[in-house]
């Protein structure tokens, strides 16, 4: 019986190779973070993409760059608009190898152009800067781990498919099909590089997340001369909002939150357009189905009103990622592997979502917080812990070694997905 909390010779060598890459991993992260890649900044995304391609060319793999389809958004006039994003970068190595891993990460950030740009040393082994932790540092750690792995003797036993996305922070609307396709092309396990917390805690179970836009149309009329001829879309929307909020507490773990009602206009006109924008979270597939059915029922109730028509956009774009047997087995293997290099890893369930949700929905168990240690992400106080580059890349490198030589049986883990 092999003990995952021990290092063998291959493990010791790979850890040394990772240590040698420390400077490279840190420096390229800073370089990448200096390029603004806010999710809507297509120009910035197009600028960083070739730099990523160049850095990942250090691997023995084939890279393809694809411009995805536009994605759709419901505008305030009720019409559907299309948006463009940056390219999707895929890096594929040894697709014929016995063990296949899907790896993923995003290179966009939540920071729009000309907002948060400075990188500042804030002491205590921490740098403050945009995307250092979420997740340019993570991409760099992924690359470092793979470089160290490919320099070792287990290389031929393991192949991988990396998907780097330009739109994670806005929901992977354009890149989700690429993640799904990559996960379904034989991957046994997934590794995603969101930051872990600065306590070292990683994400365990994740809820699913939905975004809905319900568009309701009534009939406009002059509020003074012919109020009775009008049909208020806002009134129908208001009933729907009250009903949606009343769902909170009705089903274990399911929450609804209405974020906005758009539409309407001058007070002397009966409003003929309202768009109800809301989100929902659900812990598992049945709960997500229940939540979706409620929305459909409310839409029907709204359109049953005299003179009101409507339709809905959206749904659970990130399906739930519950802590099932496969996930737990993988978490246990990661925890034991961490012990081998003195890490006390802990997996904590969260309401947050990421690419790991999509990969799980495609049938592949995965760990999604293998990136650097950091905190205050999505704020101008975002920071990365500099010493975490080596330890986190070592963790990934050891996992690759162990998937490759079968000390962690990825096939068995995947089989537990049922
Ligand atoms: Zn992220």
């Amino acid at each position: 019986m092999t003990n995952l909390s021990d290092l063998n010779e291959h493990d010791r060598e790979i850890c040394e190779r990772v240590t040698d890459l420390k400077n490279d991993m840190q420096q390229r992260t800073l370089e990448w973070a200096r390029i603004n890649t806010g999710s809507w900044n297509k120009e910035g995304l197009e600028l960083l993409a070739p730099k990523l391609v160049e850095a990942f060319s250090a691997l023995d793999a084939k890279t393809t760059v694809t411009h995805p389809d536009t994605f759709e958004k419901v505008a305030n006039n009720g019409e559907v608009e299309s948006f463009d994003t940056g390219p999707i970068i895929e890096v594929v190595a040894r697709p014929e190898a016995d063990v296949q891993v899907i790896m993923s990460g995003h290179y966009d950030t939540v920071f729009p152009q000309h907002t948060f740009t400075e990188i500042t040393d804030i002491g205590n082994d921490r740098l403050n800067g945009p995307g250092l932790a979420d997740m340019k540092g993570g991409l760099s750690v992924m690359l470092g781990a793979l470089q160290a792995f490919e320099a070792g003797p287990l290389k031929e036993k393991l192949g991988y498919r990396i998907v780097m996305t330009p739109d994670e922070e806005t929901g992977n609307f354009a890149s989700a099909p690429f993640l799904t396709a990559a996960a379904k092309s034989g991957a046994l396990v997934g590794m995603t590089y969101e930051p872990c917390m600065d306590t070292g805690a990683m994400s365990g179970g994740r809820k699913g997340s939905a975004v809905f836009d319900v568009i309701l149309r009534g009939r406009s009329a002059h509020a003074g001369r012919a109020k009775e001829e009008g049909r208020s879309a806002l009134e129908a929307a208001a009933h729907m909002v009250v009903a949606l909020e009343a769902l909170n507490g009705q089903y274990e773990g399911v929450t609804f939150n209405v974020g906005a009602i758009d539409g309407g206009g001058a007070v002397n006109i009966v409003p003929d357009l309202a768009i109800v924008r809301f989100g929902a979270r659900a812990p598992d597939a049945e709960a997500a189905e229940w939540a979706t059915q409620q929305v459909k029922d409310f839409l029907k109730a709204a359109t049953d009103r005299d003179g009101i028509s409507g339709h809905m956009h959206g749904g659970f774009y990130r399906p739930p990622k519950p802590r099932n047997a496969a996930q737990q087995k993988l978490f246990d293997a990661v925890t034991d592997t961490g012990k081998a290099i003195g890490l006390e890893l802990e997996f904590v369930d969260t309401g947050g979502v990421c690419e790991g949700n999509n990969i799980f929905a495609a049938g592949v168990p995965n760990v999604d917080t293998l990136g650097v240690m950091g905190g205050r992400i999505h704020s101008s106080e975002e920071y990365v812990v500099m010493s975490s580059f080596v330890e986190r890349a070592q963790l990934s490198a050891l996992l690759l070694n162990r998937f490759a030589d079968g000390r962690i049986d990825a096939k068995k883990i995947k089989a537990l997905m049922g």
Side-chain angles (χ1 to χ4, degrees):
M1 199 45 214
T2 49
N3 193 343
L4 291 176
S5 53
D6 292 336
L7 294 176
N8 70 16
E9 183 198 342
H10 292 152
D11 291 343
R12 274 190 290 274
E13 287 168 3
I14 206 170
C15 285
E16 275 169 34
R17 288 196 292 276
V18 168
T19 306
D20 291 342
L21 291 167
K22 173 179 167 187
N23 222 10
D24 289 0
M25 288 192 288
Q26 294 179 342
Q27 289 313 312
R28 68 186 168 224
T29 302
L30 302 192
E31 190 196 322
W32 296 344
R34 285 190 187 102
I35 300 172
N36 176 279
T37 53
S39 306
W40 306 102
N41 179 10
K42 186 172 156 63
E43 214 177 288
L45 294 165
E46 300 272 8
L47 204 63
L48 180 57
K51 293 192 187 297
L52 293 172
V53 169
E54 196 195 317
F56 279 78
S57 72
L59 300 174
D60 185 11
K62 192 171 156 272
T63 302
T64 48
V65 176
T66 315
H67 288 265
D69 292 341
T70 54
F71 62 97
E72 297 184 334
K73 217 176 151 180
V74 178
N76 283 357
N77 63 2
E79 301 299 324
V80 176
E81 283 178 7
S82 295
F83 287 87
D84 247 348
T85 182
I88 289 157
I89 305 165
E90 290 179 279
V91 183
V92 179
R94 300 175 292 285
E96 70 297 331
D98 231 26
V99 177
Q100 292 294 319
V101 182
I102 174 172
M103 303 173 90
S104 87
H106 61 88
Y107 67 93
D108 61 322
T109 70
V110 292
F111 306 108
Q113 205 170 3
H114 309 306
T115 55
F116 172 34
T117 53
E118 288 287 297
I119 295 175
T120 318
D121 188 339
I122 52 172
N124 198 18
D125 190 32
R126 288 161 190 214
L127 288 189
N128 158 249
L132 287 176
D134 186 17
M135 60 179 274
K136 289 167 181 173
L139 294 174
S140 185
V141 159
M142 181 206 299
L143 174 54
L146 286 168
Q147 285 175 293
F149 175 73
E150 290 195 338
L154 299 172
K155 174 181 164 187
E156 296 307 325
K157 295 182 187 293
L158 178 143
Y160 53 85
R161 213 168 264 270
I162 305 172
V163 184
M164 280 182 273
T165 67
D167 59 348
E168 205 267 358
E169 298 295 5
T170 49
N172 284 115
F173 288 108
S175 60
F178 291 80
L179 288 166
T180 303
K184 287 193 167 164
S185 58
L188 297 176
V189 287
M191 300 168 80
T192 294
Y193 285 80
E194 291 290 346
C196 63
M197 287 178 238
D198 70 354
T199 56
M202 299 170 75
S203 295
R206 288 183 184 271
K207 286 187 178 182
S209 179
V211 173
F212 292 97
D213 298 295
V214 173
I215 300 156
L216 297 172
R217 292 187 190 274
R219 191 190 310 141
S220 69
H222 192 285
R225 286 196 303 267
K227 169 71 180 167
E228 68 288 349
E229 286 173 19
R231 295 293 179 269
S232 171
L234 273 183
E235 186 192 358
H239 280 276
M240 180 179 277
V241 170
V242 172
L244 283 167
E245 289 289 349
L247 289 175
N248 288 301
Q250 300 289 307
Y251 192 112
E252 174 98 49
V254 175
T255 56
F256 277 88
N257 185 59
V258 180
I261 308 176
D262 289 315
V267 295
N268 62 345
I269 300 169
V270 177
D272 65 351
L273 171 68
I275 304 158
V276 185
R277 302 184 192 274
F278 56 98
R281 306 261 166 168
D284 55 41
E286 295 85 76
E289 209 168 290
W290 178 83
T292 305
Q293 191 54 49
Q294 301 307 304
V295 176
K296 287 180 182 161
D297 291 351
F298 290 165
L299 175 62
K300 179 161 189 316
T303 55
D304 278 349
R305 299 171 80 90
D306 179 38
I308 301 292
S309 63
H311 60 280
M312 69 181 224
H313 273 259
F316 275 86
Y317 70 100
R318 292 214 197 275
K321 182 185 165 188
R323 200 189 268 251
N324 67 1
Q327 287 296 121
Q328 192 56 53
K329 184 102 183 153
L330 181 56
F331 293 161
D332 291 345
V334 174
T335 304
D336 289 343
T337 297
K339 275 191 194 130
I341 48 171
L343 299 177
E344 284 296 332
L345 301 177
E346 182 194 8
F347 286 88
V348 181
D349 292 348
T350 163
V353 291
C354 76
E355 289 166 353
N357 289 65
N358 302 64
I359 293 168
F360 179 89
V364 179
N366 64 85
V367 201
D368 57 30
T369 34
L370 287 167
V372 287
M373 201 181 269
R376 304 286 299 144
I377 61 167
H378 296 193
S379 87
S380 59
E381 287 162 32
E382 174 175 350
Y383 63 84
V384 62
V385 179
M386 294 305 277
S387 58
S388 69
F389 280 86
V390 167
E391 70 174 41
R392 296 289 143 169
Q394 284 177 338
L395 175 64
S396 278
L398 289 178
L399 290 171
L400 292 169
N401 258 3
R402 289 151 186 232
F403 289 138
D405 68 14
R407 272 177 291 164
I408 303 176
D409 190 337
K411 272 186 192 129
K412 229 182 216 165
I413 291 172
K414 169 135 193 211
L416 290 172
M417 288 291 276

